[in-house]
Amino acid sequence: MKQLSFRDPLSKVFLNEEGVFRKINNDNKIFFEELFNKNFYIEMQNLNWIQESKIIEKNNEILIFHKKIDNFVETNEMSSYQLFESGLHTLNILITSLKNGYIIKDASAWNIVFSKGKPFFLDIASFEKWKNEKIWIGYGQFVRHYIMPLILNRELGIPTSKMFMMHRDGINPSDAFKQLGLKVYKSFLYIEFVLLPHIFRHKKIKKLDNSSQDPKINKKILIQILERLKKKLIKVEPDTSSFWSTYTSNREHYSNKDIEIKKKIIEDFFNINKGRVLDIGCNIGEFLEIASKNNTEVHGIDVDENCINIIQKNMSNKKISVSNINIANPVPASGWYNSETKGYLEKNKNYFDTVIFFGIVHHLIVSDRIPLENIIELLLKLTKKNVIFEFVSNKDEKFIDIANINLSLYDNFTKENFEKIIEKSFKIIKIYNLEYNSNRYIYLLEKTI
């Protein structure tokens, strides 16, 4: 079995073809048997808040078994709004558990993934019985993993996915203080969570003795602290309203008719072809929404965090999974020995039945200097069968605009040359012309190698 996690000494996690397994001992077995039979825990499972779990014995070992989730969004792929929802999910699970005599001992954002558009808690080993504390040991970690990244995202525009690629354990207040500068005085919330912890960073905190306290009082105090933390998190909720109101009116290179043509192509294709779908450069999810009507698993990626935020906020109920990914520089493997988190391309290799590839080939060719052959090679690795490809020729006004003085470098980027190259790897099933922009073509392609 392949080891997935080793950071929790009480529960090593392994994966094989059957699913995910956690090794536990006899003492832990008794604890988890009791936990899994609690009504609040069963209800959280039924709501898909947490992993379904069962205790089994295999090869003389006691294990907790979880069904494998084939594809999910991890912290270093999340947009700021997804991270915000992840934080809310953590607190909702924590508060619900505390009311029933349990607590989760840490607040790592890596404990939450997104599956089919919804946050999902994975770290079952984080549960333990509440021991009459009126403080939560995971409070500081929650601030590092949620409050700090969302503050920096709001004030400096740094995508949260990039923060977690560099800082796996979140952002500490002193680092946030250095980046915020005078903006730290902009809000009482920033003063509370950034400035004051930075000032008192070397002061040791004495452990509180709760043994003589009434458990009812301590629980009430702790719930109040957590509810207050939840309100503070809500204050740094990413704002998507201004972006949403201006996005669709700024696409001057497409007419409304061309957008409708593309929507009709997608709709007709997925009325016949089913399976797993990926939209690369999904923008605000117009084509994802159409694809989701006839496919049970639909994924979208975009380099623009605001686009992913919009989809997450407005379409998560449609079971659409989205990630803040730059396909020209996708998320690499990370963690210890680069083994704790798979890279985006590795975990999605040959995963999708159809890839939608609209309106980005010219950006990759010109802005990122990626040859067409390399782009096709990437698509071959991601799709098992089909690609719906928008070709943007060197006569297109947007192509001319971004190529600028280097336009002569792309004299061969024509429809005719594109077809010669693409037919080495794909069969051209159909070609559509756009009405307004005659220099753009939609190809239905079928993989041949």
Side-chain angles (χ1 to χ4, degrees):
M1 289 195 289
K2 179 182 178 182
Q3 186 168 353
L4 293 181
S5 176
F6 47 79
R7 291 181 181 269
D8 188 342
L10 300 178
S11 176
K12 301 289 191 297
V13 184
F14 297 87
L15 170 72
N16 68 13
E17 313 78 47
E18 300 172 58
V20 178
F21 299 86
R22 294 175 182 269
K23 291 184 180 180
I24 56 175
N25 58 32
N26 277 314
D27 291 339
N28 288 331
K29 178 186 176 184
I30 295 169
F31 167 78
F32 284 114
E33 282 178 335
E34 181 181 301
L35 174 65
F36 294 165
N37 285 310
K38 294 291 183 181
N39 288 335
F40 84 95
Y41 190 90
I42 294 170
E43 185 177 356
M44 288 197 297
Q45 278 189 161
N46 293 338
L47 291 170
N48 286 322
W49 283 17
I50 57 176
Q51 272 183 312
E52 188 176 339
S53 312
K54 65 178 180 181
I55 296 173
I56 63 170
E57 290 192 23
K58 187 174 182 178
N59 300 327
N60 296 318
E61 291 183 313
I62 304 169
L63 306 168
I64 298 175
F65 172 73
H66 311 289
K67 289 181 182 178
K68 181 184 175 185
I69 307 171
D70 285 330
N71 199 305
F72 49 80
V73 180
E74 295 184 82
T75 308
N76 57 350
E77 302 170 335
M78 291 181 193
S79 70
S80 56
Y81 200 85
Q82 288 174 307
L83 186 69
F84 167 72
E85 287 193 344
S86 171
L88 283 180
H89 196 66
T90 299
L91 291 177
N92 286 336
I93 290 173
L94 175 59
I95 292 168
T96 300
S97 301
L98 180 58
K99 289 177 179 178
N100 290 276
Y102 288 81
I103 200 162
I104 51 176
K105 57 192 175 188
D106 65 79
S108 172
W110 298 95
N111 290 344
I112 306 282
V113 300
F114 276 76
S115 177
K116 295 186 177 180
K118 298 291 186 182
F120 193 64
F121 185 82
L122 297 181
D123 190 15
I124 304 305
S126 183
F127 281 92
E128 62 181 11
K129 285 189 176 179
W130 177 62
K131 300 170 185 173
N132 195 25
E133 302 99 336
K134 57 185 176 185
I135 58 171
W136 176 41
I137 195 171
Y139 190 98
Q141 188 180 40
F142 186 91
V143 172
R144 294 196 307 274
H145 282 229
Y146 292 106
I147 303 292
M148 293 295 114
L150 289 171
I151 289 174
L152 293 180
N153 177 265
R154 169 174 284 203
E155 294 299 330
L156 305 178
I158 306 170
T160 56
S161 56
K162 289 186 177 180
M163 295 185 212
F164 279 95
M165 278 192 269
M166 295 183 65
H167 306 279
R168 191 173 180 88
D169 194 35
I171 309 294
N172 67 58
S174 290
D175 287 340
F177 175 80
K178 293 173 188 175
Q179 294 183 65
L180 285 172
L182 292 176
K183 288 184 177 181
V184 76
Y185 299 101
K186 188 175 177 179
S187 161
F188 286 118
L189 185 143
Y190 301 174
I191 292 172
E192 177 184 349
F193 285 102
V194 181
L195 180 61
L196 294 180
H198 168 70
I199 292 172
F200 296 108
R201 63 192 181 280
H202 298 305
K203 186 176 178 64
K204 292 185 178 180
I205 300 173
K206 293 181 180 179
K207 187 175 180 180
L208 297 176
D209 180 10
N210 298 315
S211 58
S212 61
Q213 296 290 333
D214 184 338
K216 289 183 180 179
I217 295 174
N218 278 359
K219 183 182 287 189
K220 184 177 180 180
I221 290 170
L222 184 50
I223 289 174
Q224 286 175 345
I225 290 171
L226 297 175
E227 292 286 2
R228 181 178 181 275
L229 183 59
K230 188 174 178 179
K231 290 178 182 177
K232 297 293 184 180
L233 178 66
I234 290 170
K235 285 187 176 182
V236 290
E237 175 182 354
D239 179 23
T240 60
S241 57
S242 58
F243 178 81
W244 174 254
S245 63
T246 60
Y247 179 83
T248 54
S249 62
N250 290 333
R251 295 182 292 187
E252 297 175 356
H253 48 291
Y254 289 114
S255 69
N256 290 333
K257 182 65 175 175
D258 283 347
I259 296 296
E260 291 307 313
I261 289 172
K262 293 170 81 170
K263 287 181 178 179
K264 186 69 165 57
I265 292 169
I266 295 295
E267 186 173 19
D268 290 347
F269 180 86
F270 288 118
N271 279 335
I272 300 170
N273 301 276
K274 315 295 181 188
R276 295 168 171 168
V277 180
L278 170 66
D279 186 354
I280 299 177
C282 60
N283 292 319
I284 56 171
E286 294 164 292
F287 307 118
L288 284 173
E289 186 173 12
I290 296 169
S292 70
K293 294 175 182 177
N294 290 308
N295 295 281
T296 56
E297 193 171 344
V298 178
H299 298 249
I301 63 173
D302 203 286
V303 66
D304 192 323
E305 185 181 51
N306 286 318
C307 287
I308 300 303
N309 283 344
I310 286 294
I311 298 171
Q312 185 61 43
K313 186 172 183 178
N314 295 283
M315 296 188 192
S316 60
N317 63 320
K318 298 180 180 178
K319 298 183 178 180
I320 294 172
S321 291
V322 286
S323 309
N324 185 201
I325 299 288
N326 178 3
I327 198 61
N329 186 26
V331 172
S334 66
W336 184 254
Y337 275 106
N338 283 358
S339 64
E340 293 183 75
T341 307
K342 283 185 178 181
Y344 181 81
L345 296 182
E346 181 188 356
K347 74 178 184 181
N348 288 287
K349 186 177 181 181
N350 290 321
Y351 187 79
F352 301 101
D353 296 288
T354 301
V355 172
I356 302 170
F357 197 75
F358 280 172
I360 58 172
V361 65
H362 51 310
H363 292 287
L364 294 176
I365 291 282
V366 179
S367 302
D368 295 294
R369 299 294 179 94
I370 300 173
L372 179 60
E373 290 84 354
N374 294 63
I375 296 171
I376 293 169
E377 183 183 359
L378 173 69
L379 295 173
L380 283 168
K381 288 181 178 178
L382 291 172
T383 187
K384 291 189 287 187
K385 188 175 182 181
N386 296 113
V387 173
I388 308 175
F389 193 111
E390 179 179 7
F391 177 72
V392 182
S393 81
N394 58 7
K395 303 297 183 184
D396 179 84
E397 63 178 70
K398 193 68 176 178
F399 191 107
I400 294 170
D401 180 46
I402 62 174
N404 205 336
I405 60 174
N406 294 315
L407 184 60
S408 61
L409 297 175
Y410 307 100
D411 285 343
N412 292 327
F413 202 70
T414 63
K415 179 176 182 291
E416 293 72 27
N417 284 334
F418 167 73
E419 290 177 4
K420 286 179 184 178
I421 294 172
I422 202 73
E423 286 181 326
K424 296 176 184 177
S425 310
F426 290 92
K427 177 183 177 182
I428 298 174
I429 304 301
K430 194 168 183 178
I431 305 173
Y432 296 88
N433 289 81
L434 296 182
E435 185 175 276
Y436 169 77
N437 199 327
S438 59
N439 294 304
R440 296 191 178 211
Y441 309 88
I442 307 297
Y443 288 79
L444 298 186
L445 305 173
E446 185 176 301
K447 188 174 177 178
T448 57
I449 61 173

